[in-house]
Amino acid sequence: MAAKSYNISELDNKLADRRYHLADSNPEFTQKILKTSRTIANMCYQCGTCTGSCPSAPRSSYRIRLFMRRCVLGLENESLTDPDLWLCTTCYSCTDRCPRDIAPTDVIMAMRNLAFKRDIIPKNFLQTVQLIYNSGHGVPNNDVNRAARTKLGLPADPPTTHTYAEFIPGIQKIIDHYELKANADRILKGD
Amino acid sequence: MHEYAFFLGCIAPNRYPGCEASAIKTSEKVGIKLLPLKGASCCPAPGAFGSIDLNVWYAMAARNLVLAEEMKKDITLICNGCYKSIWEVNHILKHNDELRDNVNEVLAEIDMQFKGSIDVWHLAELYYDEKICGVQKIKDSVTTPLTGAKIAPHYGCHLMKPQKERHFGDTENPMWFEELIAALGCEPVQYRNKMQCCGAGGGVRGYDIVHALDITNEKLINVREVGADAITEVCPFCQLQFDRGQIEIKEKFGDVYNIPVLHYNELLGLAQGMSPQDLALDLHAIDCTPFLQKVL
């Protein structure tokens, strides 16, 4: 992910060109993605190198090139309600091969962030949030593993939040700051 | 002795403790001391947390970074997923004032502040780094060469990609991991589409397991094609996907491979004379015995 921000007025003017937006498109969507992803999807010339590099493409209807076009055209609903949005393994092959130096992977991540704001999110993502909220770990320890660790001469619980539970309230404070746990509980309950 | 704060993550300590034990023991033999990073949490999972809200991902990873800043030690870790969270958030917050201010506002609630005073390294990259260890030093530490074994290297994604933001160079056909594998006395083999993803990342394993396994299956076909005795990687999540994934692939698709999957640290541990019991290889879903009989 590019660690820079683009605050260039000339560029903003170019990106504000809305001639190609359709009736059901939302130019703000493109801008929001630009801000979160810090990559310029508008540079895309639809060559398809991304889809050709994608390990998910040959086994599904997921087409990263299509999402790039949707981003540029501001097709918010079409992007966020497509279940294929969640088939990106974030392998960054498309990003490494993009001849326009765009990071399509980061466009997908930004779209997923926006989808979550509309409660569109697969359950497993929210379950990870709950696990980390409660234990600090997305994959918590268990008894079989504790026995194995002891045999190896390791402490039964690793020296993480598993041993030092006093750090968990701090983690909960961070997650609560963004109301992530409350939203995860609410969305999972409604399912 | 180079000292580092050892960031464990989740899957290594809680599913493959052999990865953790071997990292601590093998690194010590090449002059690297790993210190516990007390109170660390999940990195947090870049696929799951990053997809939900990148801001929470930044803040949670920053908390882990601050723990090491307080120790005044660089972080080292053994998982590509953790590398993405910890290395990348460190990099982003060091270079983006706006995001750093936002994160520090949240961290202030728990009396922490991200300063950007440390660096983050993957242990494999330290092993390869001449200034810290280097291939020759790894070679010199080997007491039981793993002669006769063909090993398929799996680089994984989040260590080296995206290439422009990292410092590993070419991501189409890198060869540095092969050098580390050859240093153990075994033969690294090339196979079709070596740099392909394992299929587990981005939350896909949890979202659509069949889709994830289909990607894994393609890799396994390519690995079997060249007659590899084992797969080695530097990411416990890839390890889980290849190892437990083979059981799931057998159930769902009926394809059987029985290719053992070992973390590079486990392989190095074997080469340095650690026993399979010292590495808890019995916790692996795929039986490592045929491979062990071949090399030990």
Side-chain angles (χ1 to χ4, degrees):
Chain A
M1 177 177 296
K4 5 174 180 159
S5 48
Y6 296 97
N7 287 320
I8 311 162
S9 57
E10 197 190 336
L11 184 66
D12 284 344
N13 284 336
K14 278 186 184 168
L15 300 189
D17 185 341
R18 292 172 190 177
R19 277 172 299 177
Y20 298 108
H21 285 291
L22 307 170
D24 58 346
S25 76
N26 172 15
E28 267 174 45
F29 178 61
T30 315
Q31 291 302 315
K32 276 188 204 160
I33 289 177
L34 173 68
K35 188 167 183 293
T36 309
S37 66
R38 299 191 299 281
T39 189
I40 307 171
N42 301 59
M43 301 276 284
C44 173
Y45 54 29
Q46 288 285 297
C47 69
T49 304
C50 47
T51 294
S53 303
C54 178
S56 283
R59 40 187 58 84
S60 70
S61 52
Y62 170 60
R63 298 288 179 267
I64 175 68
R65 178 171 72 154
L66 176 61
F67 279 92
M68 294 302 286
R69 197 67 192 140
R70 284 169 172 167
C71 173
V72 174
L73 295 178
L75 299 176
E76 184 172 6
N77 286 333
E78 207 177 303
S79 304
L80 302 188
T81 56
D82 186 344
D84 287 349
L85 177 62
W86 307 92
L87 286 180
C88 169
T89 65
T90 69
C91 77
Y92 283 90
S93 296
C94 54
T95 302
D96 270 10
R97 290 177 181 168
C98 177
R100 299 291 280 165
D101 266 5
I102 310 167
T105 318
D106 292 337
V107 169
I108 290 294
M109 293 303 271
M111 282 186 181
R112 287 179 175 185
N113 276 214
L114 292 172
F116 174 65
K117 289 211 168 81
R118 288 168 53 170
D119 286 2
I120 303 169
I121 179 99
K123 275 184 197 173
N124 64 297
F125 291 75
L126 300 175
Q127 284 154 353
T128 308
V129 171
Q130 290 180 327
L131 285 169
I132 295 180
Y133 190 88
N134 292 329
S135 70
H137 280 289
V139 183
N141 208 351
N142 58 38
D143 284 338
V144 175
N145 190 64
R146 280 190 196 94
R149 290 182 60 90
T150 312
K151 257 202 252 169
L152 294 179
L154 296 168
D157 280 306
T160 58
T161 49
H162 272 337
T163 302
Y164 302 96
E166 62 268 29
F167 285 90
I168 292 177
I171 290 165
Q172 294 178 338
K173 238 178 185 169
I174 294 175
I175 296 176
D176 285 338
H177 176 93
Y178 297 95
E179 294 174 4
L180 202 56
K181 172 69 163 38
N183 279 322
D185 289 348
R186 179 180 55 77
I187 296 169
L188 282 174
K189 223 177 174 178
D191 267 350
Chain B
M1 212 57 149
H2 300 276
E3 290 190 342
Y4 293 89
F6 185 24
F7 181 82
L8 289 170
C10 295
I11 297 176
N14 297 334
R15 291 295 178 272
Y16 293 109
C19 293
E20 177 185 345
S22 57
I24 295 169
K25 285 185 183 156
T26 57
S27 60
E28 197 148 0
K29 290 193 177 157
V30 291
I32 296 170
K33 177 125 184 88
L34 304 184
L35 308 166
L37 184 57
K38 291 176 185 170
S41 66
C42 178
C43 56
F49 263 72
S51 295
I52 295 170
D53 189 340
L54 285 162
N55 292 315
V56 195
W57 182 60
Y58 299 140
M60 290 279 287
R63 193 198 70 93
N64 286 321
L65 283 157
V66 172
L67 293 173
E69 286 183 355
E70 286 170 355
M71 285 171 73
K72 296 190 171 54
K73 297 284 178 215
D74 281 4
I75 287 181
T76 190
L77 39 77
I78 54 173
C79 169
N80 290 0
C82 298
Y83 190 83
K84 170 149 179 84
S85 293
I86 305 293
W87 184 91
E88 193 162 299
V89 171
N90 194 35
H91 181 74
I92 291 171
L93 296 185
K94 274 185 184 182
H95 293 93
N96 189 321
D97 296 344
E98 188 191 339
L99 284 179
R100 185 173 59 230
D101 291 346
N102 291 347
V103 162
N104 273 335
E105 213 172 281
V106 182
L107 289 183
E109 289 177 26
I110 55 171
D111 300 319
M112 279 184 156
Q113 193 198 4
F114 175 86
K115 295 193 181 72
S117 56
I118 59 153
D119 287 319
V120 179
W121 309 92
H122 196 296
L123 188 56
E125 114 181 78
L126 294 178
Y127 283 157
Y128 191 71
D129 189 341
E130 297 288 340
K131 293 189 290 293
I132 308 293
C133 171
V135 175
Q136 188 57 45
K137 216 166 172 181
I138 294 283
K139 214 172 190 172
D140 294 341
S141 76
V142 170
T143 54
T144 320
L146 308 176
T147 324
K150 284 180 162 181
I151 308 284
H154 172 75
Y155 282 79
C157 298
H158 296 129
L159 179 60
M160 300 177 64
K161 297 186 222 175
Q163 181 184 0
K164 283 182 278 285
E165 305 296 329
R166 304 282 201 266
H167 44 276
F168 290 87
D170 175 38
T171 55
E172 293 295 337
N173 188 25
M175 291 300 282
W176 60 269
F177 193 30
E178 277 84 342
E179 287 181 50
L180 283 173
I181 294 168
L184 310 182
C186 41
E187 182 198 344
V189 289
Q190 298 300 309
Y191 58 97
R192 200 189 298 233
N193 215 352
K194 168 174 92 172
M195 294 308 287
Q196 191 193 296
C197 171
C198 72
V204 175
R205 183 178 159 83
Y207 173 61
D208 188 342
I209 183 82
V210 172
H211 182 88
L213 290 172
D214 197 51
I215 299 177
T216 317
N217 205 9
E218 187 185 331
K219 279 221 86 157
L220 288 166
I221 291 169
N222 294 340
V223 166
R224 184 173 60 185
E225 193 178 58
V226 296
D229 298 303
I231 298 172
T232 189
E233 28 59 38
V234 287
C235 174
F237 196 33
C238 297
Q239 175 162 330
L240 186 105
Q241 181 66 7
F242 283 120
D243 186 41
R244 297 197 178 178
Q246 285 185 62
I247 306 293
E248 293 155 349
I249 284 170
K250 190 178 162 190
E251 282 167 11
K252 294 197 194 300
F253 311 143
D255 298 326
V256 181
Y257 297 93
N258 287 326
I259 302 173
V261 187
L262 291 98
H263 195 284
Y264 181 75
N265 288 322
E266 295 178 318
L267 217 54
L268 178 58
L270 287 174
Q272 288 182 350
M274 289 175 79
S275 73
Q277 290 76 32
D278 294 337
L279 297 165
L281 291 187
D282 54 317
L283 286 186
H284 287 224
I286 298 299
D287 187 8
C288 297
T289 317
F291 168 72
L292 294 171
Q293 281 167 349
K294 192 160 187 176
V295 296
L296 296 181

